Amino acid sequence: MNKQQLIDNIWRKKSFLCVGLDTDLKKIPQHLLKEDDPIFAFNKAIIDATAPYCVAYKPNLAFYECFGLKGWQAFEKTVKYIKSQYPDQFIIADAKRGDIGNTSAMYARSFFEEMDIDSLTVAPYMGEDSVTPFLQYEGKWVILLALTSNKGSHDFQLTKDTEGERLFEKVLRTSQQWAGDDRMMYVVGATQGRLFEDIRKIVPNHFLLVPGVGAQGGSLEEVCKYGMTKDCGLIVNSSRGIIYADTTENFAAVAAAKSQELQQQMASLLP
Amino acid sequence: MNKQQLIDNIWRKKSFLCVGLDTDLKKIPQHLLKEDDPIFAFNKAIIDATAPYCVAYKPNLAFYECFGLKGWQAFEKTVKYIKSQYPDQFIIADAKRGDIGNTSAMYARSFFEEMDIDSLTVAPYMGEDSVTPFLQYEGKWVILLALTSNKGSHDFQLTKDTEGERLFEKVLRTSQQWAGDDRMMYVVGATQGRLFEDIRKIVPNHFLLVPGVGAQGGSLEEVCKYGMTKDCGLIVNSSRGIIYADTTENFAAVAAAKSQELQQQMASLLP
């Protein structure tokens, strides 16, 4: 999916919501455990319920890998289901990969060629040659970690260098030499408040993927106030607040209601 | 495996060699493609050939994930084979994971509980709470990226902060508050030469996992000169230089010879 298509979807649906598919067998409604593939059964119900209100899905690979083969199977089925039933949804594999060149190239082939996923989250620590193999695919995106939503983001990401530039700023600035805003986005946690202003000084036009609204305590209003562009420029993710809002047989209806609620807030915040 | 057991294995075998299982269907001897599971068939032959000369195996997850379900199956079979046939080998899942706490906890469960792997490479960018979930398992290890072997290691890892401390040094120093040298190692590329001296000032006793000898151009002598401790303190990885040294039906014998050659060099370099 290219940038204009993504923007068009956001405007048409008046939503920049991403639903995070952090599917955990311990947390899904227990009646689903009778199904052949409980993870996929849960995802399918959540996707059908929330698709009208969101523009993206973000399966978090950790939750699938931890079930080994079965988990991978559920992941691949989920991706195929979204692509066949809701082809206008932007799919983000939240994998936080990043390795030496030949290894990153293997990951890129896996996610972009074999599975035809739209985008992948990538960690910047290993620098340019760990990221560029992901940038060789037209219409596919790297979403680079810049300033994350967790407490540990303070450990290294805010460290100032001798010029006074913080590490996340250096990541934003340096990585723009690798690709433009048609192929790169950045992860910025919703918990980072006014730092969105500083980020927009460096990347005024890039899309930002924003986790951390909901369970992690970030504010949607604040994110929009300091981070939104004229094209929106934001994909805001909610996982637990939607998919585990209810754990009875009624879970899908409640997930629909929760995502609609967020969509309506988003509609009122769009420029 | 605990630290003393690892040291005992190194002394007994006079080797601190790790064989990297970066198994690529495009590079393995083509007669193996007739096998049911060519990746596992290749790994099994390599393992049987090299086990006398090494103390560790490092399957690189990217190479398995890129084949989806089949890749995972081959990965799990490989781990089980090593554990059952060569229980004194230290297994490193080279996965470079690292995510917010609940996600890292899922990865930890997957690799340490379900698969009973000894250690996992982890990226430090997201800080403490992305790493500590991996430190909850006795006898299991986090191998944190510090100073990698690739060209891109210069982009961010060498950045000096306002106190003059480089990012990789800050990672080494800060992470020691999270666990000791009985549960944490660091990745330091063999291409980093004299920087091993600076690293040993901060982590005099930790084991270092050293990729980059061979195909990437690092020197074993230099690594040992500047990085070795009285306990050895090094696990030096070679992947392509061993497993793809020959691509005929004779590949396993050549891999044995190449790993023996490295083992003999190592024996002469041990204190």
Side-chain angles (χ1 to χ4, degrees):
Chain A
M1 188 180 298
N2 67 33
K3 191 176 177 185
Q4 193 54 51
Q5 290 168 322
L6 177 61
I7 294 170
D8 291 346
N9 290 340
I10 290 172
W11 248 253
R12 186 169 45 81
K13 295 178 113 171
K14 300 255 177 283
S15 170
F16 45 98
L17 176 63
C18 174
V19 174
L21 299 171
D22 297 5
T23 306
D24 184 344
L25 282 183
K26 288 188 181 153
K27 289 188 186 162
I28 67 174
Q30 296 303 296
H31 72 278
L32 291 174
L33 298 181
K34 287 175 304 201
E35 301 278 336
D36 262 1
D37 184 343
I39 297 176
F40 177 68
F42 178 79
N43 286 353
K44 183 175 175 302
I46 290 286
I47 291 162
D48 289 338
T50 57
Y53 311 114
C54 68
V55 294
Y57 287 102
K58 180 171 76 64
N60 186 327
L61 267 283
F63 287 79
Y64 300 85
E65 288 182 28
C66 83
F67 294 106
L69 291 178
K70 283 194 176 170
W72 262 96
Q73 215 153 13
F75 173 70
E76 292 194 4
K77 272 163 79 177
T78 301
V79 169
K80 277 185 192 157
Y81 185 75
I82 299 169
K83 291 197 77 72
S84 65
Q85 300 300 308
Y86 305 100
D88 61 344
Q89 294 285 348
F90 186 78
I91 304 181
I92 302 164
D94 196 3
K96 301 193 175 66
R97 297 300 193 262
D99 208 312
I100 63 170
N102 70 326
T103 307
S104 280
M106 295 297 278
Y107 278 128
R109 197 168 93 189
S110 167
F111 289 103
F112 293 156
E113 283 187 32
E114 318 262 319
M115 290 190 268
D116 196 21
I117 286 170
D118 295 292
S119 65
L120 187 72
T121 57
V122 176
Y125 191 76
M126 292 181 68
E128 179 170 3
D129 56 347
S130 70
V131 177
T132 45
F134 295 108
L135 295 167
Q136 311 306 316
Y137 297 83
E138 207 179 316
K140 304 295 183 191
W141 298 75
V142 163
I143 310 183
L144 199 62
L145 300 188
L147 186 56
T148 56
S149 57
N150 63 321
K151 187 160 162 280
S153 64
H154 293 247
D155 289 333
F156 307 118
Q157 297 165 23
L158 297 178
T159 302
K160 276 189 185 165
D161 70 10
T162 47
E163 319 277 301
E165 187 174 50
R166 288 164 291 191
L167 180 59
F168 75 90
E169 293 171 313
K170 184 166 182 164
V171 167
L172 292 169
R173 191 178 47 74
T174 305
S175 61
Q176 284 182 77
Q177 298 159 23
W178 310 338
D181 61 12
D182 58 332
R183 214 166 271 198
M184 186 114 72
M185 304 186 183
Y186 297 98
V187 173
V188 180
T191 50
Q192 302 293 355
R194 289 197 73 146
L195 287 174
F196 275 87
E197 275 187 322
D198 300 339
I199 285 164
R200 281 301 181 203
K201 284 179 195 147
I202 309 172
V203 287
N205 297 314
H206 283 71
F207 262 89
L208 307 178
L209 170 63
V210 184
V213 163
Q216 292 179 63
S219 149
L220 181 62
E221 287 72 17
E222 212 174 41
V223 168
C224 293
K225 185 169 172 192
Y226 300 116
M228 193 172 265
T229 68
K230 67 171 176 29
D231 284 335
C232 179
L234 298 171
I235 298 176
V236 171
N237 182 77
S238 175
S239 303
R240 290 169 268 179
I242 292 174
I243 69 175
Y244 301 130
D246 182 279
T247 55
T248 69
E249 300 204 357
N250 201 32
F251 73 99
V254 177
K258 287 284 171 189
S259 57
Q260 187 178 25
E261 206 174 280
L262 273 169
Q263 180 270 320
Q264 285 170 348
Q265 280 180 51
M266 287 177 174
S268 73
L269 289 162
L270 274 170
Chain B
M1 190 180 296
N2 67 33
K3 192 177 176 184
Q4 193 54 50
Q5 289 168 323
L6 177 61
I7 294 170
D8 290 347
N9 290 339
I10 290 172
W11 248 254
R12 186 169 45 80
K13 296 178 112 170
K14 300 258 179 279
S15 169
F16 45 98
L17 175 63
C18 174
V19 174
L21 299 170
D22 297 7
T23 307
D24 184 344
L25 282 184
K26 289 187 181 152
K27 290 188 186 163
I28 67 176
Q30 296 302 296
H31 72 279
L32 291 175
L33 297 180
K34 288 176 301 202
E35 301 277 337
D36 262 2
D37 185 341
I39 298 175
F40 176 69
F42 177 79
N43 285 353
K44 182 175 174 302
I46 291 285
I47 292 161
D48 289 338
T50 58
Y53 311 114
C54 68
V55 293
Y57 287 103
K58 179 172 76 64
N60 186 327
L61 267 283
F63 287 78
Y64 300 85
E65 288 182 28
C66 83
F67 294 106
L69 291 178
K70 283 194 176 169
W72 263 96
Q73 216 151 13
F75 173 70
E76 292 194 2
K77 271 163 79 178
T78 301
V79 169
K80 277 185 193 157
Y81 185 74
I82 300 169
K83 290 197 78 71
S84 66
Q85 300 301 308
Y86 305 99
D88 61 344
Q89 294 285 348
F90 186 77
I91 304 180
I92 301 164
D94 195 4
K96 303 195 174 64
R97 298 300 194 259
D99 207 313
I100 63 170
N102 70 327
T103 307
S104 280
M106 296 296 279
Y107 277 128
R109 198 168 91 190
S110 167
F111 289 103
F112 293 156
E113 284 187 31
E114 319 262 319
M115 290 189 268
D116 197 20
I117 286 169
D118 295 292
S119 65
L120 187 72
T121 57
V122 175
Y125 192 76
M126 293 181 68
E128 179 170 3
D129 55 348
S130 71
V131 177
T132 45
F134 295 108
L135 296 167
Q136 311 307 314
Y137 296 84
E138 208 177 316
K140 303 296 184 190
W141 297 76
V142 162
I143 309 182
L144 199 63
L145 300 187
L147 186 57
T148 57
S149 57
N150 63 322
K151 187 160 162 278
S153 65
H154 294 247
D155 289 333
F156 307 119
Q157 297 166 23
L158 296 178
T159 303
K160 277 190 185 164
D161 70 10
T162 48
E163 320 277 301
E165 187 175 51
R166 288 165 290 191
L167 181 59
F168 76 90
E169 293 171 312
K170 184 167 181 163
V171 166
L172 293 169
R173 192 178 46 75
T174 305
S175 60
Q176 285 183 77
Q177 298 159 23
W178 311 337
D181 61 12
D182 58 332
R183 212 165 272 198
M184 186 114 71
M185 302 184 185
Y186 297 98
V187 173
V188 180
T191 50
Q192 301 294 353
R194 290 197 71 146
L195 287 174
F196 275 86
E197 276 187 321
D198 300 339
I199 285 164
R200 281 300 180 202
K201 285 180 195 147
I202 308 172
V203 286
N205 297 314
H206 283 71
F207 262 90
L208 307 179
L209 170 64
V210 184
V213 164
Q216 293 179 63
S219 147
L220 182 62
E221 287 73 17
E222 212 174 42
V223 168
C224 293
K225 184 169 172 193
Y226 301 117
M228 193 173 266
T229 68
K230 66 172 175 33
D231 284 336
C232 177
L234 298 170
I235 299 176
V236 171
N237 183 76
S238 175
S239 304
R240 289 170 269 179
I242 293 173
I243 69 175
Y244 301 130
D246 181 278
T247 55
T248 69
E249 300 205 356
N250 201 32
F251 73 101
V254 176
K258 287 286 171 189
S259 57
Q260 188 178 22
E261 206 174 281
L262 274 169
Q263 179 269 320
Q264 285 170 349
Q265 280 180 52
M266 288 177 175
S268 73
L269 290 162
L270 275 171

